[in-house]
Amino acid sequence: MLCVLNKPKMSTKEDYDCIVIGAGVQGSFTAYQLAKQNKKTLLLEQFILPHTRGSSHGQTRIIRKAYEQDFYTHMMEECYQLWAQLEREADVKLYRRTGLLVMGPEKAPDYQLIKNTLQRNLVPTVILKREDFSQHIPHVNLSDGDEALVDTTAGVLYADRALKTVQGQFQKLGGVIKDGQKVTDIKPGPVVTVSTSSGVYRAKSLVITAGAWANTVLSHVGLQLPLQVVRINVCYWKEKLPGSYDVKCRFPCFLQVECKEAKDHIYGLPSNEYPGLIKVCYHTGSETDPDERDKQTDRSDIELLQRYIARCFPGLVPEPAVVESCMYTVTPDRHFVLDCHPTYSNIVIGAGFSGHGFKFGPIVGKLLCELSQGEVPSYDLSPFRIRRFQAKSKAAL
Ligand SMILES: Cc1cc2nc3c(=O)[nH]c(=O)nc-3n(C[C@H](O)[C@H](O)[C@H](O)COP(=O)(O)OP(=O)(O)OC[C@H]3O[C@@H](n4cnc5c(N)ncnc54)[C@H](O)[C@@H]3O)c2cc1C
């Protein structure tokens, strides 16, 4: 009798149509889409919500159609509509149009690819002539040999607010969120059993959107993906003259595709969340363990940004005023993973968003929902299939 009383409390098994693991942007939108299809859905999150330990926290993200590949630009067409639909449903503002200034050496392949994709897909774009540049974009020095254009459809998404909104809408549709419950085991089968630190749940299908912890969760279902987790230093820089780079003064988001300081992209958002500070980050970082993110103290990216800002943004103090942390989970080709488990077709995976997945949240949610229901996905998912990694590793042998 005493023995029974001392046992930790385990709730009885709860049955759902679908369980989603991970309440970041991708898991939250997937759960919301499932609930919209009247599926009884459970969204499990290891930390108490909201939290700042994954990849979806922070006040802002860039949304844009400017991409090197057509398939992302095509998906963004519908995605803008889905963001607007969520805004209407919840009566909340999630997007602010600012435009995206893209700068890069005339001959840089990435710059040319972005320019061509925008033009081919008839995205409203303004090509800025060097002689007019400072009239349109004051307080920025365009590097010698660089060209510039503006994707006028681009802007800022209010990220924290978006996450809260989509989770709230999911709950309004009858969805269940259980936070503070880390998934510790998964038993595949026609009915999948998921165990957490405090419960056991069963469902006809499972979606794994565990961000930087994807491989830890996937180890329970015998799968490992080539994912690299990196820590990103999220740097905010002080305006020397308040308002020079402000969202209210119509300063755009920007993307520097290549420059003498950096091989990878540098990107920035106008001053918005912290008055007088603009966010400028380097699009790569140093490898980290997601549970020990803040042990990673490499500052080489910050030093590189300081040199770039001193040269190209003369209106900013070239020393970050605030540095926060976030993580990317990067695939070798930087394209997402949106696919079914190779053995268990009722287990679906959304992973490897490689530092550019937030804007796609609504469409990723729709696609993962379709895959989990055995439906034909709305888009060609071949760039996102798991087998592309296997094909590459076989070719390398
Ligand atoms: C600094 C920075 C800037 C960015 N800028 C942009 C941008 O401008 N535009 C853009 O489109 N994208 C941007 N991104 C990328 C975008 O934010 C990410 O691609 C996206 O947030 C990834 O979402 P996710 O749901 O996959 O991961 P996460 O948000 O990390 O969610 C995964 C969740 O799973 C939970 N989890 C993990 N393991 C378990 C477990 N065992 N049990 C239960 N729960 C678990 C985690 O706690 C976490 O909450 C940026 C990212 C960063 C870091």
Side-chain angles (χ1 to χ4, degrees):
M1 184 66 182
L2 198 63
C3 183
V4 172
L5 281 176
N6 284 343
K7 261 192 171 172
K9 261 196 181 167
M10 286 293 261
S11 63
T12 49
K13 287 183 181 155
E14 289 178 29
D15 290 341
Y16 293 88
D17 291 321
C18 191
I19 296 173
V20 180
I21 301 176
V25 66
Q26 314 301 6
S28 300
F29 268 103
T30 306
Y32 161 74
Q33 284 293 342
L34 284 158
K36 274 195 143 181
Q37 307 302 315
N38 293 318
K39 302 296 167 198
K40 187 180 172 198
T41 306
L42 171 64
L43 177 58
L44 289 170
E45 169 54 49
Q46 62 179 340
F47 301 126
I48 302 288
L49 292 168
H51 72 85
T52 58
R53 296 198 43 195
S55 303
S56 300
H57 59 282
Q59 291 191 22
T60 54
R61 292 288 187 279
I62 299 173
I63 179 169
R64 58 183 157 108
K65 289 185 186 164
Y67 259 94
E68 289 90 336
Q69 299 82 5
D70 284 326
F71 54 82
Y72 286 121
T73 306
H74 293 165
M75 286 161 80
M76 282 314 298
E77 283 294 333
E78 182 182 354
C79 206
Y80 271 90
Q81 292 169 26
L82 295 177
W83 279 110
Q85 191 181 323
L86 180 63
E87 284 185 312
R88 284 194 300 275
E89 273 173 31
D91 192 21
V92 63
K93 190 170 164 56
L94 302 175
Y95 160 69
R96 179 170 187 147
R97 189 169 174 170
T98 62
L100 174 83
L101 167 67
V102 184
M103 298 175 283
E106 192 187 340
K107 293 203 174 81
D110 280 6
Y111 180 80
Q112 282 306 327
L113 284 168
I114 291 174
K115 187 175 170 185
N116 293 343
T117 309
L118 287 169
Q119 291 182 335
R120 203 167 38 243
N121 291 288
L122 307 177
V123 177
T125 303
V126 178
I127 308 285
L128 294 177
K129 288 203 186 112
R130 172 165 284 276
E131 53 272 29
D132 302 333
F133 182 82
S134 54
Q135 181 199 328
H136 291 287
I137 315 282
H139 315 296
V140 178
N141 295 332
L142 185 65
S143 306
D144 287 345
D146 269 16
E147 279 194 2
L149 59 81
V150 178
D151 164 3
T152 66
T153 67
V156 173
L157 287 170
Y158 297 116
D160 283 341
R161 195 188 294 170
L163 216 58
K164 187 170 165 224
T165 302
V166 68
Q167 289 167 359
Q169 292 301 107
F170 168 62
Q171 287 173 308
K172 271 192 197 158
L173 292 162
V176 179
I177 300 180
K178 291 191 191 257
D179 60 356
Q181 291 210 24
K182 180 175 177 171
V183 170
T184 51
D185 193 30
I186 302 168
K187 289 212 170 16
V191 172
V192 188
T193 305
V194 176
S195 304
T196 72
S197 32
S198 47
V200 179
Y201 310 99
R202 296 187 307 197
K204 290 175 216 150
S205 60
L206 173 70
V207 179
I208 300 174
T209 45
W213 292 266
N215 272 336
T216 311
V217 175
L218 288 170
S219 66
H220 300 303
V221 290
L223 185 66
Q224 289 294 278
L225 297 171
L227 302 174
Q228 191 193 29
V229 178
V230 297
R231 175 190 153 127
I232 301 296
N233 287 313
V234 185
C235 302
Y236 292 86
W237 310 77
K238 191 167 186 233
E239 294 170 325
K240 289 179 186 162
L241 179 67
S244 341
Y245 301 95
D246 199 301
V247 72
K248 291 189 208 93
C249 303
R250 307 183 60 166
F251 190 76
C253 296
F254 76 88
L255 184 68
Q256 175 77 53
V257 296
E258 201 185 296
C259 60
K260 70 175 187 190
E261 291 82 6
K263 288 251 170 312
D264 216 317
H265 298 182
I266 292 172
Y267 60 90
L269 292 86
S271 119
N272 179 72
E273 51 256 63
Y274 302 135
L277 303 184
I278 92 162
K279 180 153 84 180
V280 182
C281 304
Y282 190 38
H283 192 47
T284 191
S286 302
E287 192 157 13
T288 189
D289 173 340
D291 290 314
E292 303 200 331
R293 181 193 68 187
D294 295 335
K295 276 195 181 166
Q296 176 53 264
T297 52
D298 184 6
R299 283 178 61 93
S300 52
D301 56 333
I302 298 180
E303 288 156 15
L304 169 162
L305 288 170
Q306 286 180 295
R307 293 194 296 275
Y308 173 73
I309 281 175
R311 185 171 66 83
C312 297
F313 284 70
L316 292 176
V317 178
E319 175 74 36
V322 175
V323 180
E324 296 173 344
S325 311
C326 196
M327 288 182 292
Y328 287 177
T329 308
V330 185
T331 62
D333 57 12
R334 294 196 175 188
H335 300 318
F336 313 152
V337 173
L338 305 172
D339 206 350
C340 296
H341 187 288
T343 313
Y344 312 112
S345 60
N346 61 344
I347 299 183
V348 168
I349 299 147
F353 292 95
S354 305
H356 63 113
F358 200 98
K359 65 183 83 58
F360 292 96
I363 205 86
V364 165
K366 181 177 166 180
L367 287 162
L368 295 180
C369 169
E370 288 169 348
L371 287 177
S372 77
Q373 299 308 302
E375 294 166 11
V376 178
S378 307
Y379 292 84
D380 170 20
L381 293 188
S382 44
F384 310 118
R385 294 288 187 194
I386 294 170
R387 61 174 171 265
R388 75 188 195 268
F389 304 128
Q390 291 148 358
K392 288 243 168 67
S393 50
K394 270 188 200 143
L397 285 173

